Amino acid sequence: MNTTKQQTQLYTLAVVFFFWGFVAASNGIFIPFCKKHFELSQFQSQLVDLTFYGGYFIGSIILFLMSMFSKVDILNKIGYKKGIIIGLLISVMGALAIIPAVNAGSFNLILSSFFLIAIGFSLQQTAAQPFVAALGSVETASHRLNFAGGVNSLGTTLGPLIVSYVLFGSLSNPSDASIDSINNLYLILAGVFVAVALFFGVSKLPDITNNEPFENAAGALKYPQLYLGMIAIFAYVGVEVTIQSNMGALLKLPEFGALDESFISGFISLYWGSLMIGRWTGAISAFNLGGAMKKVLTIVVPFLAFGVILAVNYLRGNDVSNLMVYAVCVGILVAGFFLGQEKPAKSLFVFGMFGVVAMLVGLMTTGQIALYAFISGGLACSIMWPNIFSLAVAGLGKYTSQGSAFLIMMILGGAIIPPVQGKLADVPSIGIHHSYFITLLCFGYIAFYALKVKSVLKNQGIDVDNLESGAGH
């Protein structure tokens, strides 16, 4: 960050990142209610998340088609700030629509409501990601995105605790929630969306606009860093979701301890917390700190975040003694940050290879070693979104928001790769353990992209290790 004003603007924008995480966490509370109330199978209950991720893809497609037919980049024209506000208001309608859907007892209407929320989130993210990148120089864009991602992860970590305690009077998983409590939940969420929209409306954020004519998809897609980056985002979101989505079945295998649900929830929590560990650490570079202080915090902050995860699990009633050994993996993360040297391509390669090695260890072993290897995939994933994003939009100029929309579309990976792994796991000759080879392929591609994009950008006159201010805008 170059100025105090830009830092203040970043903190303001981070508010919406927090509530994305906070709201996403409420899905984990709502899904058990749907499964019990509507007597759904496990696959049917997961349609909530499938609809949610699919909504991101459809929302980005709609924005692109509207821009293509109007021949004006709509998001560039209205500005990132107004785009976020409109997205929030769409999500308000979705949250309010859930209430009559639940009262009517229609799961299909509930899915439609979640789809509407996701449409709003899609517009918010398509606007907010390049907005964060624009609040300063390009060489520090990934650091600002890491900071925003860390705030998002804080929302995801605190969301289940706050929502469970306030609405259900308990920190446990509210699978027996009443319809009235669900109504209250989404009334509160709708109110939060409105409050954040008003907050953005009165905030002094720059309303960045661009009236350049919208040409066509070929405009943005002529840049290799973008279309290769789209595949990288697809792989990243897919691997991030599929590791934990299939972990419950993995942990029930005898060779993985045949764990019951109470133990499984603790490990799933540790996985999602791993993303917070990495994002908090990556966020350090968003602040003007001396070299020595930055090094100290790079060592201290990951273990501080790990302590937060242990505390959250303790409050949930989970046994944390069996999670302590994971500190070794956190130490490896710290080493990865020093090896990455705060350079987007290098950091992405280091953490991509971290993921490759971790998945290989998980596939070749069993028991606690394999378990923590798979969970550490969350540490590897933690820095990938901001680095892939900043590399993919570097040098796009007037096509930056269009490229952002394409990248948001690739969140579709979270809806596609997990069921693909599930199908592989159903094959007797493969099984759930060895179905994790799909995660190896995802991390392998991300490491390849990190190497490829450096040469691609160099050919365009952009040195990713020493980007000049404004090179990507």
Side-chain angles (χ1 to χ4, degrees):
M1 299 293 293
N2 293 326
T3 67
T4 301
K5 182 178 180 181
Q6 287 176 328
Q7 285 185 333
T8 302
Q9 291 168 347
L10 176 61
Y11 302 152
T12 300
L13 193 55
V15 171
V16 75
F17 282 80
F18 175 85
F19 283 109
W20 289 339
F22 189 93
V23 173
S26 72
N27 289 357
I29 295 173
F30 191 62
I31 288 173
F33 165 80
C34 287
K35 184 177 181 181
K36 180 176 181 179
H37 185 73
F38 296 104
E39 299 181 347
L40 305 175
S41 67
Q42 183 63 23
F43 169 77
Q44 289 173 319
S45 70
Q46 295 304 305
L47 290 177
V48 171
D49 277 340
L50 181 63
T51 302
F52 201 68
Y53 286 112
Y56 277 97
F57 175 74
I58 298 299
S60 297
I61 286 287
I62 292 172
L63 182 62
F64 170 75
L65 291 176
M66 289 173 64
S67 297
M68 184 177 68
F69 287 120
S70 66
K71 300 189 184 300
V72 174
D73 191 320
I74 293 175
L75 185 56
N76 264 340
K77 184 175 182 180
I78 65 175
Y80 296 143
K81 178 179 175 180
K82 290 187 178 69
I84 292 172
I85 294 173
I86 294 170
L88 284 163
L89 295 178
I90 292 173
S91 295
V92 168
M93 292 187 290
L96 292 176
I98 287 179
I99 297 172
V102 169
N103 292 336
S106 173
F107 186 56
N108 288 334
L109 287 178
I110 289 174
L111 292 179
S112 299
S113 302
F114 268 92
F115 180 79
L116 191 57
I117 292 176
I119 291 288
F121 275 24
S122 174
L123 181 56
Q124 293 169 50
Q125 289 215 26
T126 303
Q129 302 290 342
F131 202 166
V132 170
L135 292 178
S137 63
V138 175
E139 63 266 32
T140 58
S142 63
H143 304 325
R144 291 191 296 279
L145 287 167
N146 258 327
F147 170 77
V151 175
N152 175 268
S153 291
L154 178 63
T156 302
T157 302
L158 296 179
L161 282 175
I162 296 173
V163 172
S164 296
Y165 185 78
V166 172
L167 298 184
F168 305 98
S170 170
L171 298 177
S172 61
N173 191 23
S175 57
D176 58 348
S178 67
I179 291 179
D180 286 342
S181 64
I182 295 296
N183 289 345
N184 291 336
L185 170 63
Y186 285 95
L187 276 173
I188 291 174
L189 291 179
V192 167
F193 288 143
V194 171
V196 175
L198 291 173
F199 176 70
F200 268 76
V202 300
S203 65
K204 295 182 179 180
L205 286 170
D207 201 1
I208 301 171
T209 59
N210 187 331
N211 290 316
E212 292 284 351
F214 184 90
E215 297 182 11
N216 52 47
L221 293 177
K222 69 181 181 182
Y223 294 93
Q225 64 264 38
L226 177 61
Y227 61 74
L228 293 174
M230 289 167 63
I231 301 173
I233 288 289
F234 183 93
Y236 150 67
V237 178
V239 74
E240 179 183 273
V241 176
T242 201
I243 288 175
Q244 66 85 33
S245 291
N246 290 281
M247 192 172 289
L250 180 76
L251 292 175
K252 291 182 179 179
L253 294 178
E255 58 268 37
F256 280 85
L259 301 178
D260 62 30
E261 296 296 337
S262 61
F263 284 99
I264 289 174
S265 64
F267 289 117
I268 296 293
S269 173
L270 178 59
Y271 174 76
W272 285 117
S274 295
L275 278 91
M276 183 182 75
I277 293 173
R279 288 170 178 168
W280 280 20
T281 309
I284 294 171
S285 296
F287 303 94
N288 292 319
L289 300 171
M293 177 59 72
K294 186 179 293 185
K295 290 178 181 178
V296 170
L297 290 177
T298 300
I299 297 172
V300 172
V301 167
F303 291 99
L304 176 64
F306 181 48
V308 171
I309 295 165
L310 294 178
V312 169
N313 273 279
Y314 178 79
L315 289 172
R316 287 178 174 173
N318 292 328
D319 180 12
V320 298
S321 61
N322 55 354
L323 304 180
M324 300 297 290
V325 70
Y326 194 66
V328 174
C329 298
V330 177
I332 296 174
L333 171 95
V334 173
F337 270 97
F338 283 111
L339 286 172
Q341 299 177 318
E342 301 183 16
K343 298 176 181 179
K346 189 170 185 178
S347 294
L348 187 60
F349 177 75
V350 167
F351 281 86
M353 291 306 301
F354 177 7
V356 167
V357 173
M359 297 305 103
L360 280 173
V361 171
L363 287 166
M364 297 172 64
T365 61
T366 58
Q368 192 174 62
I369 292 177
L371 173 58
Y372 285 125
F374 286 135
I375 290 176
S376 67
L379 296 173
C381 285
S382 64
I383 59 89
M384 287 183 172
W385 175 276
N387 286 293
I388 295 173
F389 192 95
S390 60
L391 291 166
V393 300
L396 264 59
K398 65 182 180 181
Y399 298 111
T400 298
S401 66
Q402 188 178 347
S404 174
F406 285 138
L407 291 169
I408 298 297
M409 288 180 198
M410 293 299 101
I411 290 177
L412 184 66
I416 301 298
I417 292 179
V420 168
Q421 183 181 352
K423 285 292 184 182
L424 291 170
D426 288 336
V427 178
S429 60
I430 298 178
I432 183 64
H433 184 191
H434 293 104
S435 71
Y436 270 81
F437 82 84
I438 196 170
T439 64
L440 183 64
L441 298 179
C442 291
F443 280 124
Y445 177 81
I446 292 167
F448 159 78
Y449 175 72
L451 291 177
K452 181 67 175 178
V453 74
K454 186 171 183 177
S455 63
V456 166
L457 292 176
K458 185 176 181 180
N459 289 336
Q460 298 175 17
I462 302 173
D463 182 0
V464 295
D465 289 336
N466 190 26
L467 287 171
E468 294 184 2
S469 179
H473 296 280

